[in-house]
C-alpha cells in the first residue's frame, strides 16, 4: 500500500520475574515398569506417537579386578542412534547429550564413563522430533537407539551391549502424572527459591501469572532455555529448542548473479525460534499455570512474557524470515512456477 504508515515490530517484555518452582524427572532403570527384550527396539513402533520419549535401560556387573578401577582409564561407551536426540545417564548421573541434524538425523554418543565395581546402570533417553513426510521410502526410516552400543576398555576387550537384555519404557514420569495440568501439577512436591534447579537436564518448571491488560499479541521469550515443551493452563503452545541455533554464513547481501537459497542470509548463530505465541483466549484473568519441561538444561529466570508493539501494513502478506533464512523469492513459489511451466509442455495443454 503506497503511502501507508508503519512502525517497527518489537517484542516488549512485560513480565520476567516469575515465581518458578522445579521438579526433577526420574531416570528409568532396568527392570522397572517397562518391557524387557533381547536387543533394541525401533522407537516409533513402540511409542506409537503417545510420547516423544523412549527410555532404554540396561545394568551389568563390573568385576573388582577390572584394570580401569586402579589406573583411572575409564572405558568408552559408544551409542549409535537413528535419531533424533539422545540423553545418556550412567548410574543416575547425566553423562552427555547429542542430537542429529536436519539432513542426517543419525547420531553417535562416544565418551568415557565413570563405572564402579559392582552393579552399574546405563539409561538412554531417546527423543523423536517429528516424523518424516517426504523422501524416498520415508515410511521405512527408523528412529531411536538401534545400536551398535559398545563398551571399550574392559579386561576382556570390547563389550557389545546391543544384543543384551534391555528394558524400554514409553514416556516420562511427568507425562504420566500430567504435570502440565492444574490437577497433575499438584500431585508432586516442587522446590523453589534457593533450591530451584537451574541449567540441569530433565527438569519440570511451573509458575503462575495474571493475564496482562489489553489486546496486543503475547508470546513467551524462551531464549534462556535449551530444549523441551511448554504448556499454558494444560494446553501445549509448542516445543521449544532455542539452543538449536541457525548455522551458515551471513555475509553482506548482494543479489547480483544467479539466485540460490544461500544468498542474503541473516541471524546466523541465533536461536531457530525465540518467541512462542500465547493465545489470549487461553488465559484466565488471574492464576494462569505455565509449565515447562526442560530436556537439556536452562535458566527459567530468563524466561519472560512479551507483547508485540508496532505493526506493518503488509506484515501479514510477507513470509516469515527466520534465522538463516534468505530474503529472496520463496523456493516453494519458484518450484510452483517451474511445475506450471512443465505442465504446459504436456500434449494435453498444447
Amino acid at each position: 500500500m503506497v503511502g501507508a504508515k508503519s512502525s517497527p515490530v518489537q517484542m516488549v517484555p512485560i513480565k520476567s520475574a516469575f515465581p518458578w518452582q522445579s521438579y526433577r524427572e526420574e531416570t528409568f532403570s532396568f527392570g522397572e515398569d517397562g518391557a524387557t527384550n533381547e536387543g533394541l527396539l525401533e522407537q516409533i513402533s513402540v511409542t506409537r506417537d503417545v510420547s516423544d520419549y523412549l527410555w532404554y535401560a540396561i545394568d551389568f556387573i563390573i568385576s573388582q579386578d577390572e584394570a580401569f578401577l586402579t589406573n583411572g582409564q575409564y572405558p568408552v561407551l559408544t551409542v549409535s542412534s537413528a535419531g533424533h536426540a539422545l540423553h545418556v545417564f550412567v548410574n543416575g548421573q547425566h553423562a552427555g547429550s547429542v542430537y542429529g541434524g536436519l539432513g542426517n538425523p543419525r547420531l553417535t554418543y562416544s565418551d568415557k564413563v565413570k563405572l564402579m565395581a559392582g552393579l552399574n546402570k546405563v539409561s538412554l533417553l531417546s527423543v523423536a522430533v517429528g516424523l518424516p513426510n517426504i523422501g524416498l521410502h520415508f515410511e521405512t526410516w527408523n528412529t531411536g537407539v538401534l545400536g551398535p552400543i559398545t563398551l571399550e576398555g574392559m579386561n576382556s576387550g570390547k563389550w557389545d551391549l546391543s544384543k543384551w537384555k534391555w528394558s524400554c519404557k514409553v514416556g516420562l514420569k511427568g507425562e504420566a502424572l500430567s504435570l502440565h495440568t492444574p490437577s497433575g501439577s499438584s500431585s508432586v512436591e516442587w522446590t523453589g527459591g534457593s533450591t530451584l534447579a537451574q541449567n540441569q537436564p530433565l527438569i519440570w518448571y511451573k509458575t503462575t501469572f495474571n493475564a496482562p491488560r489489553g489486546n496486543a499479541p503475547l508470546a513467551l521469550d524462551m531464549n534462556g532455555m535449551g530444549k523441551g515443551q511448554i504448556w499454558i493452563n494444560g494446553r501445549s503452545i509448542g516445543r521449544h529448542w532455542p539452543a538449536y541455533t541457525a548455522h551458515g554464513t551471513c555475509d553482506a547481501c548482494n543479489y547480483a548473479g544467479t539466485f540460490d537459497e544461500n544468498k542474503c542470509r541473516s541471524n546466523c548463530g541465533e536461536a531457530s525460534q525465540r518467541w512462542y505465541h500465547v493465545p489470549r483466549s487461553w488465559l484466565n484473568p488471574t492464576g494462569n499455570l505455565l509449565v515447562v519441561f526442560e530436556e537439556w538444561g536452562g535458566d527459567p529466570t530468563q524466561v519472560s512474557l512479551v507483547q508485540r508493539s508496532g505493526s506493518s501494513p503488509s506484515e501479514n502478506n510477507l513470509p516469515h524470515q527466520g534465522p538463516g533464512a534468505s530474503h529472496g523469492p520463496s523456493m516453494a513459489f519458484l518450484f510452483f512456477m517451474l511445475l506450471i511451466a512443465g505442465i504446459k509442455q504436456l500434449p494435453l495443454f498444447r
Side-chain angles (χ1 to χ4, degrees), residues 88-107:
V88 180
F89 296 84
V90 177
N91 294 324
Q93 300 299 312
H94 182 237
S97 298
V98 289
Y99 62 91
L102 180 63
N104 182 16
R106 296 184 178 276
L107 56 92

Side-chain angles (χ1 to χ4, degrees), residues 1-7 311-314:
M1 182 181 298
V2 178
K5 294 182 178 180
S6 63
S7 58
S311 63
S312 169
S314 59

Side-chain angles (χ1 to χ4, degrees), residues 23 25-26 171-180 184 188 204 293:
Y23 172 79
E25 175 71 25
E26 296 180 3
L172 306 169
K173 180 179 180 180
E175 289 180 312
L177 295 174
S178 297
L179 294 186
H180 62 284
V188 299
W204 293 83
F293 175 62

